[in-house]
Amino acid sequence: KIKAKPVRIIAVFVALAVIVGAVWYAAAAVLNLRHIPIFMYHSINDEPIGSEEQLSVRVDDFESQLRYLRERGYESVFVKDMPKYDYEQRLVAVTFDDGYEDVYTNAFPLLKKYEIKATLFMPTSLIGEEGYLDEDQLREMQNSGYVDVESHTVSHEDLSRLSTDEIENEFRESKRTLEEILDKTVSVIAYPGGYVEEIAGKYFDKAVLAKSQDDFSLFVDEMAMERLGVYRDTTTAQIDIVCRRKMQTYGDYIGNNR
């Protein structure tokens, strides 16, 4: 019995280590530990779309940003496929809001050229309207394997101004319409204006919103994932800083909590 004590002590320490490890991993899963930058684009066009010039990224600038991600070894993922946590891969998510037609004419060819995946958030009331994507373009991009089309509500209205019933209708009908057009499950939504609505979880598995590039939080609600806006004056050097800072912040956290 006396000789067995060291064995028991070792067994206890091993058990404790397993428990601590399990708790750490579970906490990471619950809190959605992420080091993955999610970039938010709108229009890819040399000529600004509408009155908001900053929303239109020049074609050459966009290509430079994609080339940077490819040359630095980043692997792109759809938002719907983002893992809860990851330790080794250099992952990045590219997204587009609003469904401007130039995403098809200007961005789509470059996504295929550099083999970068992107998630497109489409307001269903704008499908087929002048300057916006139509059903055939959405299907072609979805079927290419490089673009995943998800919800941006029906009307793109500020959700904070709508009633609960109106918000639920925006979620339900946008999901239904896109699923009918694309013959796929729509599981992600981008909140217009960044307003977070709890009822979204009834219809979607994940949700994203816009957020300042200065925020590098690691723990993110899966129904309120923050994105980093890319605008007309955003440079590739700034993209590099965002990626490096996100990875470094994550690496420091992992190193201090192993």
Side-chain angles (χ1 to χ4, degrees):
K1 290 182 180 178
I2 294 176
K3 292 181 179 180
K5 283 186 177 179
V7 175
R8 290 179 181 176
I9 293 173
I10 293 173
V12 169
F13 276 111
V14 170
L16 286 173
V18 171
I19 292 171
V20 170
V23 170
W24 193 94
Y25 279 94
V30 171
L31 295 171
N32 297 319
L33 178 60
R34 299 183 188 283
H35 69 287
I36 306 173
I38 309 177
F39 293 106
M40 177 186 67
Y41 292 87
H42 290 81
S43 162
I44 305 300
N45 207 313
D46 291 335
E47 297 298 323
I49 298 295
S51 59
E52 296 189 64
E53 179 178 347
Q54 281 298 311
L55 294 184
S56 296
V57 174
R58 295 179 181 84
V59 177
D60 286 347
D61 290 342
F62 180 65
E63 180 167 15
S64 175
Q65 291 157 10
L66 294 187
R67 186 186 304 114
Y68 160 81
L69 295 176
R70 176 55 59 200
E71 291 178 349
R72 296 302 187 278
Y74 282 94
E75 179 181 349
S76 57
V77 293
F78 294 135
V79 172
K80 69 175 183 178
D81 296 329
M82 285 178 61
K84 293 186 186 303
Y85 46 85
D86 181 273
Y87 303 116
E88 303 299 335
Q89 290 177 292
R90 296 162 63 88
L91 301 178
V92 65
V94 174
T95 70
F96 292 91
D97 280 12
D98 302 348
Y100 291 107
E101 188 174 23
D102 57 46
V103 173
Y104 176 81
T105 56
N106 296 334
F108 185 42
L110 293 174
L111 292 173
K112 292 187 289 185
K113 176 179 178 179
Y114 291 97
E115 299 183 320
I116 299 290
K117 295 179 179 179
T119 301
L120 168 67
F121 294 104
M122 184 76 213
T124 54
S125 67
L126 296 178
I127 297 174
E129 295 295 314
E130 184 177 0
Y132 293 90
L133 297 162
D134 62 30
E135 292 187 11
D136 290 337
Q137 291 168 329
L138 289 171
R139 288 193 194 94
E140 181 181 344
M141 289 193 291
Q142 179 67 48
N143 293 334
S144 73
Y146 288 105
V147 177
D148 179 48
V149 181
E150 299 287 350
S151 173
H152 202 24
T153 72
V154 174
S155 65
H156 197 261
E157 288 287 335
D158 183 344
L159 298 182
S160 65
R161 300 177 180 177
L162 304 181
S163 68
T164 300
D165 288 343
E166 289 172 328
I167 291 172
E168 187 158 7
N169 183 70
E170 292 278 341
F171 293 162
R172 180 181 60 251
E173 291 305 307
S174 64
K175 177 181 173 69
R176 180 190 62 78
T177 299
L178 289 175
E179 289 183 343
E180 287 182 356
I181 293 173
L182 302 171
D183 191 26
K184 58 154 281 188
T185 298
V186 172
S187 60
V188 187
I189 186 168
Y191 301 115
Y195 179 80
V196 177
E197 175 53 56
E198 291 183 2
I199 200 173
K202 180 178 178 180
Y203 300 96
F204 307 100
D205 298 329
K206 293 183 176 70
V208 298
L209 63 155
K211 192 69 175 180
S212 168
Q213 288 194 11
D214 292 331
D215 192 320
F216 291 89
S217 58
L218 285 167
F219 299 102
V220 181
D221 181 350
E222 201 161 35
M223 293 304 297
M225 295 188 290
E226 300 165 358
R227 294 182 292 171
L228 310 169
V230 183
Y231 302 105
R232 195 169 186 83
D233 59 2
T234 302
T235 66
T236 301
Q238 289 173 307
I239 297 288
D240 177 62
I241 291 171
V242 167
C243 290
R244 289 175 182 272
R245 245 180 104 181
K246 195 82 169 177
M247 290 291 292
Q248 183 62 48
T249 304
Y250 176 86
D252 290 344
Y253 180 89
I254 293 301
N256 293 329
N257 289 274
R258 283 191 181 276

